[in-house]
Amino acid sequence: MSFQVTVQPSGRQFQVNDEETLLQAALREGIGLPYGCRSGACGSCKGKVLEGRVDYGDYQASALSEEDKAQGKALFCCARPIGDVVIEAREVSGFADMQIKKLPCRVEAIERPNHDVVVLKLKLPANEKFEFMAGQYIDFLLKDGKRRSFSLANSPHDAALLELHIRHYPGGNFSGFVFNELKERSILRFEGPLGAFVLREDSENRSFSWQVPRVLHPSRA
Ligand code: FES
């Protein structure tokens, strides 16, 4: 079963399938709703449900209070509609045109500019064109189903190799793995590009266009 979503004030419409959140469906349709963590923690995707009802999903109370809910607000990264809905949300142009993909990558180089930072350079499959905007990030997809988010550090115009700067956090499973076990030529999997905090290339003052999500800096992982 699918439901229709109308976004106000733009009036754009899209369908949401059973297994999708409002945000997932919007991004699939190229509608740029703002977001950050995509896990109900940061509040970047908060918007208003003007008509209809939603299942709020799993979220952190710090991101959506009872007062928010009483005012009709929901986190669109977690919320699933129960019937057709009309929502109110700001739309962000640009990043929604970037196709989000799940891809393998090969570790081309591991550089250590200082004692607690590693620069990872990742090579994509030869037939893959990976487009992103400055300010976006990728999620590494780990074998246990967890994800680790890191900002892309290279220019979108020079995407032959993706570059990530990973800080070592004592006790962090993933950064510990990167520092102590990961070898060049290893294969990793990731999803991206993600994030609505992007540099607008067409902007005269080249300002960033959205609020800072928690993944601007590498995850404490
Ligand atoms: S709470 Fe939805 S993107 Fe962070």
Side-chain angles (χ1 to χ4, degrees):
M1 185 181 294
S2 68
F3 301 114
Q4 180 167 282
V5 181
T6 304
V7 184
Q8 295 295 11
S10 71
R12 298 178 75 184
Q13 294 185 315
F14 61 94
Q15 296 288 317
V16 184
N17 300 321
D18 284 344
E19 67 279 6
E20 291 178 311
T21 64
L22 284 161
L23 178 67
Q24 287 169 333
L27 295 178
R28 168 173 54 70
E29 293 302 313
I31 294 175
L33 300 188
Y35 68 95
C37 67
R38 297 186 305 152
S39 59
C42 73
S44 300
C45 64
K46 193 185 299 179
K48 207 163 188 179
V49 180
L50 300 175
E51 293 177 26
R53 291 191 305 130
V54 298
D55 174 343
Y56 292 95
D58 294 329
Y59 61 90
Q60 294 185 16
S62 57
L64 183 72
S65 67
E66 289 303 314
E67 191 180 341
D68 287 332
K69 287 165 69 174
Q71 292 171 357
K73 294 177 182 169
L75 299 174
F76 296 146
C77 72
C78 309
R80 298 166 195 270
I82 309 168
D84 295 347
V85 292
V86 179
I87 63 172
E88 182 179 69
R90 271 209 279 172
E91 292 179 48
V92 186
S93 62
F95 77 90
D97 299 332
M98 304 290 155
Q99 189 183 354
I100 299 171
K101 302 176 177 178
K102 287 182 180 171
L103 294 172
C105 60
R106 190 179 71 185
V107 179
E108 194 73 2
I110 302 176
E111 298 170 1
R112 295 174 186 267
N114 65 25
H115 71 284
D116 67 349
V117 171
V118 150
V119 175
L120 273 191
K121 295 191 175 174
L122 306 172
K123 190 172 179 55
L124 300 179
N127 57 350
E128 277 297 340
K129 191 166 188 291
F130 184 77
E131 294 181 309
F132 66 96
M133 298 179 76
Q136 291 195 290
Y137 64 94
I138 61 171
D139 274 1
F140 281 119
L141 306 174
L142 310 185
K143 287 184 179 153
D144 59 4
K146 291 182 180 164
R147 293 165 170 259
R148 289 295 179 269
S149 306
F150 293 95
S151 297
L152 290 157
N154 57 298
S155 161
H157 304 296
D158 181 19
L161 295 177
L162 300 184
E163 184 174 318
L164 307 174
H165 298 178
I166 297 178
R167 183 175 295 280
H168 186 215
Y169 289 101
N173 288 338
F174 186 74
S175 66
F177 163 72
V178 170
F179 267 73
N180 302 318
E181 297 175 46
L182 188 66
K183 302 277 187 262
E184 290 181 352
R185 297 183 171 280
S186 297
I187 302 295
L188 300 172
R189 282 185 60 76
F190 73 90
E191 183 176 32
L194 300 167
F197 177 57
V198 295
L199 179 65
R200 293 280 305 276
E201 298 275 346
D202 58 348
S203 169
E204 278 185 12
N205 60 12
R206 295 172 68 79
S207 60
F208 283 87
S209 71
W210 201 251
Q211 63 205 67
V212 182
R214 65 177 182 165
V215 291
L216 179 61
H217 298 290
S219 300
R220 290 173 183 268

PDB file of all heavy atoms in Angstrom, residues 63-82:
ATOM      1  N   ALA A  63      15.227  15.160  20.299  1.00  0.00           N
ATOM      2  CA  ALA A  63      15.017  15.672  18.935  1.00  0.00           C
ATOM      3  C   ALA A  63      13.559  16.026  18.673  1.00  0.00           C
ATOM      4  O   ALA A  63      13.269  16.845  17.784  1.00  0.00           O
ATOM      5  CB  ALA A  63      15.491  14.638  17.909  1.00  0.00           C
ATOM      6  N   LEU A  64      12.648  15.404  19.419  1.00  0.00           N
ATOM      7  CA  LEU A  64      11.214  15.673  19.220  1.00  0.00           C
ATOM      8  C   LEU A  64      10.533  15.564  20.577  1.00  0.00           C
ATOM      9  O   LEU A  64      10.382  14.472  21.129  1.00  0.00           O
ATOM     10  CB  LEU A  64      10.605  14.646  18.247  1.00  0.00           C
ATOM     11  CG  LEU A  64       9.131  14.881  17.901  1.00  0.00           C
ATOM     12  CD1 LEU A  64       8.981  16.098  16.986  1.00  0.00           C
ATOM     13  CD2 LEU A  64       8.531  13.645  17.218  1.00  0.00           C
ATOM     14  N   SER A  65      10.114  16.730  21.091  1.00  0.00           N
ATOM     15  CA  SER A  65       9.498  16.753  22.426  1.00  0.00           C
ATOM     16  C   SER A  65       7.998  16.480  22.320  1.00  0.00           C
ATOM     17  O   SER A  65       7.407  16.538  21.237  1.00  0.00           O
ATOM     18  CB  SER A  65       9.737  18.127  23.065  1.00  0.00           C
ATOM     19  OG  SER A  65       9.024  19.118  22.331  1.00  0.00           O
ATOM     20  N   GLU A  66       7.388  16.244  23.472  1.00  0.00           N
ATOM     21  CA  GLU A  66       5.932  16.076  23.504  1.00  0.00           C
ATOM     22  C   GLU A  66       5.248  17.364  23.050  1.00  0.00           C
ATOM     23  O   GLU A  66       4.202  17.335  22.409  1.00  0.00           O
ATOM     24  CB  GLU A  66       5.482  15.689  24.919  1.00  0.00           C
ATOM     25  CG  GLU A  66       5.872  14.270  25.322  1.00  0.00           C
ATOM     26  CD  GLU A  66       5.334  13.226  24.347  1.00  0.00           C
ATOM     27  OE1 GLU A  66       4.151  13.314  23.983  1.00  0.00           O
ATOM     28  OE2 GLU A  66       6.107  12.345  23.942  1.00  0.00           O
ATOM     29  N   GLU A  67       5.871  18.491  23.378  1.00  0.00           N
ATOM     30  CA  GLU A  67       5.317  19.781  22.951  1.00  0.00           C
ATOM     31  C   GLU A  67       5.353  19.885  21.418  1.00  0.00           C
ATOM     32  O   GLU A  67       4.392  20.352  20.799  1.00  0.00           O
ATOM     33  CB  GLU A  67       6.140  20.904  23.586  1.00  0.00           C
ATOM     34  CG  GLU A  67       5.512  22.261  23.427  1.00  0.00           C
ATOM     35  CD  GLU A  67       6.357  23.349  24.080  1.00  0.00           C
ATOM     36  OE1 GLU A  67       7.212  23.041  24.926  1.00  0.00           O
ATOM     37  OE2 GLU A  67       6.163  24.514  23.690  1.00  0.00           O
ATOM     38  N   ASP A  68       6.477  19.442  20.830  1.00  0.00           N
ATOM     39  CA  ASP A  68       6.559  19.423  19.357  1.00  0.00           C
ATOM     40  C   ASP A  68       5.400  18.618  18.782  1.00  0.00           C
ATOM     41  O   ASP A  68       4.734  19.042  17.830  1.00  0.00           O
ATOM     42  CB  ASP A  68       7.880  18.787  18.898  1.00  0.00           C
ATOM     43  CG  ASP A  68       9.084  19.679  19.120  1.00  0.00           C
ATOM     44  OD1 ASP A  68       8.908  20.909  19.111  1.00  0.00           O
ATOM     45  OD2 ASP A  68      10.193  19.137  19.283  1.00  0.00           O
ATOM     46  N   LYS A  69       5.202  17.433  19.362  1.00  0.00           N
ATOM     47  CA  LYS A  69       4.149  16.549  18.824  1.00  0.00           C
ATOM     48  C   LYS A  69       2.774  17.184  18.987  1.00  0.00           C
ATOM     49  O   LYS A  69       1.927  17.088  18.100  1.00  0.00           O
ATOM     50  CB  LYS A  69       4.221  15.187  19.504  1.00  0.00           C
ATOM     51  CG  LYS A  69       5.423  14.376  19.020  1.00  0.00           C
ATOM     52  CD  LYS A  69       5.742  13.207  19.912  1.00  0.00           C
ATOM     53  CE  LYS A  69       4.720  12.122  19.886  1.00  0.00           C
ATOM     54  NZ  LYS A  69       5.183  10.952  20.666  1.00  0.00           N
ATOM     55  N   ALA A  70       2.571  17.846  20.126  1.00  0.00           N
ATOM     56  CA  ALA A  70       1.289  18.512  20.347  1.00  0.00           C
ATOM     57  C   ALA A  70       1.057  19.613  19.308  1.00  0.00           C
ATOM     58  O   ALA A  70      -0.085  19.952  18.995  1.00  0.00           O
ATOM     59  CB  ALA A  70       1.249  19.101  21.758  1.00  0.00           C
ATOM     60  N   GLN A  71       2.162  20.157  18.798  1.00  0.00           N
ATOM     61  CA  GLN A  71       2.051  21.208  17.772  1.00  0.00           C
ATOM     62  C   GLN A  71       1.982  20.620  16.363  1.00  0.00           C
ATOM     63  O   GLN A  71       2.050  21.344  15.374  1.00  0.00           O
ATOM     64  CB  GLN A  71       3.253  22.157  17.870  1.00  0.00           C
ATOM     65  CG  GLN A  71       3.279  22.988  19.131  1.00  0.00           C
ATOM     66  CD  GLN A  71       4.585  23.751  19.287  1.00  0.00           C
ATOM     67  OE1 GLN A  71       5.500  23.619  18.491  1.00  0.00           O
ATOM     68  NE2 GLN A  71       4.667  24.546  20.340  1.00  0.00           N
ATOM     69  N   GLY A  72       1.924  19.290  16.285  1.00  0.00           N
ATOM     70  CA  GLY A  72       1.783  18.648  14.986  1.00  0.00           C
ATOM     71  C   GLY A  72       3.101  18.363  14.290  1.00  0.00           C
ATOM     72  O   GLY A  72       3.116  18.039  13.099  1.00  0.00           O
ATOM     73  N   LYS A  73       4.214  18.482  15.031  1.00  0.00           N
ATOM     74  CA  LYS A  73       5.512  18.275  14.387  1.00  0.00           C
ATOM     75  C   LYS A  73       5.917  16.805  14.433  1.00  0.00           C
ATOM     76  O   LYS A  73       5.494  16.045  15.312  1.00  0.00           O
ATOM     77  CB  LYS A  73       6.578  19.142  15.045  1.00  0.00           C
ATOM     78  CG  LYS A  73       6.321  20.616  14.808  1.00  0.00           C
ATOM     79  CD  LYS A  73       7.338  21.477  15.518  1.00  0.00           C
ATOM     80  CE  LYS A  73       7.016  22.947  15.288  1.00  0.00           C
ATOM     81  NZ  LYS A  73       7.795  23.823  16.148  1.00  0.00           N
ATOM     82  N   ALA A  74       6.762  16.423  13.485  1.00  0.00           N
ATOM     83  CA  ALA A  74       7.277  15.049  13.406  1.00  0.00           C
ATOM     84  C   ALA A  74       8.666  15.099  12.804  1.00  0.00           C
ATOM     85  O   ALA A  74       9.062  16.102  12.185  1.00  0.00           O
ATOM     86  CB  ALA A  74       6.354  14.186  12.545  1.00  0.00           C
ATOM     87  N   LEU A  75       9.400  14.024  13.021  1.00  0.00           N
ATOM     88  CA  LEU A  75      10.719  13.884  12.384  1.00  0.00           C
ATOM     89  C   LEU A  75      10.521  13.055  11.125  1.00  0.00           C
ATOM     90  O   LEU A  75      10.193  11.865  11.192  1.00  0.00           O
ATOM     91  CB  LEU A  75      11.703  13.203  13.341  1.00  0.00           C
ATOM     92  CG  LEU A  75      11.976  13.954  14.647  1.00  0.00           C
ATOM     93  CD1 LEU A  75      12.846  13.105  15.573  1.00  0.00           C
ATOM     94  CD2 LEU A  75      12.638  15.303  14.374  1.00  0.00           C
ATOM     95  N   PHE A  76      10.737  13.662   9.988  1.00  0.00           N
ATOM     96  CA  PHE A  76      10.404  12.977   8.742  1.00  0.00           C
ATOM     97  C   PHE A  76      11.372  11.846   8.404  1.00  0.00           C
ATOM     98  O   PHE A  76      11.081  11.024   7.547  1.00  0.00           O
ATOM     99  CB  PHE A  76      10.330  13.991   7.595  1.00  0.00           C
ATOM    100  CG  PHE A  76       9.220  15.004   7.763  1.00  0.00           C
ATOM    101  CD1 PHE A  76       9.367  16.308   7.326  1.00  0.00           C
ATOM    102  CD2 PHE A  76       8.027  14.648   8.382  1.00  0.00           C
ATOM    103  CE1 PHE A  76       8.342  17.229   7.491  1.00  0.00           C
ATOM    104  CE2 PHE A  76       6.993  15.555   8.555  1.00  0.00           C
ATOM    105  CZ  PHE A  76       7.162  16.859   8.107  1.00  0.00           C
ATOM    106  N   CYS A  77      12.515  11.773   9.082  1.00  0.00           N
ATOM    107  CA  CYS A  77      13.422  10.639   8.840  1.00  0.00           C
ATOM    108  C   CYS A  77      12.913   9.375   9.514  1.00  0.00           C
ATOM    109  O   CYS A  77      13.386   8.275   9.209  1.00  0.00           O
ATOM    110  CB  CYS A  77      14.838  10.959   9.304  1.00  0.00           C
ATOM    111  SG  CYS A  77      15.047  11.002  11.096  1.00  0.00           S
ATOM    112  N   CYS A  78      11.991   9.521  10.480  1.00  0.00           N
ATOM    113  CA  CYS A  78      11.458   8.370  11.223  1.00  0.00           C
ATOM    114  C   CYS A  78       9.978   8.144  10.935  1.00  0.00           C
ATOM    115  O   CYS A  78       9.484   7.031  11.101  1.00  0.00           O
ATOM    116  CB  CYS A  78      11.586   8.589  12.725  1.00  0.00           C
ATOM    117  SG  CYS A  78      13.200   9.066  13.295  1.00  0.00           S
ATOM    118  N   ALA A  79       9.262   9.187  10.572  1.00  0.00           N
ATOM    119  CA  ALA A  79       7.801   9.123  10.500  1.00  0.00           C
ATOM    120  C   ALA A  79       7.327   8.422   9.231  1.00  0.00           C
ATOM    121  O   ALA A  79       7.878   8.627   8.143  1.00  0.00           O
ATOM    122  CB  ALA A  79       7.227  10.542  10.548  1.00  0.00           C
ATOM    123  N   ARG A  80       6.305   7.605   9.419  1.00  0.00           N
ATOM    124  CA  ARG A  80       5.643   6.922   8.291  1.00  0.00           C
ATOM    125  C   ARG A  80       4.184   7.321   8.311  1.00  0.00           C
ATOM    126  O   ARG A  80       3.539   7.304   9.362  1.00  0.00           O
ATOM    127  CB  ARG A  80       5.758   5.405   8.430  1.00  0.00           C
ATOM    128  CG  ARG A  80       7.202   4.927   8.398  1.00  0.00           C
ATOM    129  CD  ARG A  80       7.329   3.485   8.865  1.00  0.00           C
ATOM    130  NE  ARG A  80       8.712   3.175   9.160  1.00  0.00           N
ATOM    131  CZ  ARG A  80       9.575   2.704   8.285  1.00  0.00           C
ATOM    132  NH1 ARG A  80       9.189   2.470   7.058  1.00  0.00           N
ATOM    133  NH2 ARG A  80      10.813   2.471   8.622  1.00  0.00           N
ATOM    134  N   PRO A  81       3.644   7.699   7.161  1.00  0.00           N
ATOM    135  CA  PRO A  81       2.253   8.140   7.147  1.00  0.00           C
ATOM    136  C   PRO A  81       1.283   6.992   7.373  1.00  0.00           C
ATOM    137  O   PRO A  81       1.557   5.847   7.013  1.00  0.00           O
ATOM    138  CB  PRO A  81       2.091   8.736   5.747  1.00  0.00           C
ATOM    139  CG  PRO A  81       3.136   8.091   4.921  1.00  0.00           C
ATOM    140  CD  PRO A  81       4.270   7.755   5.831  1.00  0.00           C
ATOM    141  N   ILE A  82       0.154   7.340   8.001  1.00  0.00           N
ATOM    142  CA  ILE A  82      -0.966   6.393   8.141  1.00  0.00           C
ATOM    143  C   ILE A  82      -2.101   6.995   7.311  1.00  0.00           C
ATOM    144  O   ILE A  82      -2.967   7.686   7.831  1.00  0.00           O
ATOM    145  CB  ILE A  82      -1.384   6.256   9.613  1.00  0.00           C
ATOM    146  CG1 ILE A  82      -0.190   5.952  10.494  1.00  0.00           C
ATOM    147  CG2 ILE A  82      -2.449   5.175   9.780  1.00  0.00           C
ATOM    148  CD1 ILE A  82      -0.463   6.092  11.970  1.00  0.00           C
TER     149      ILE A  82
END
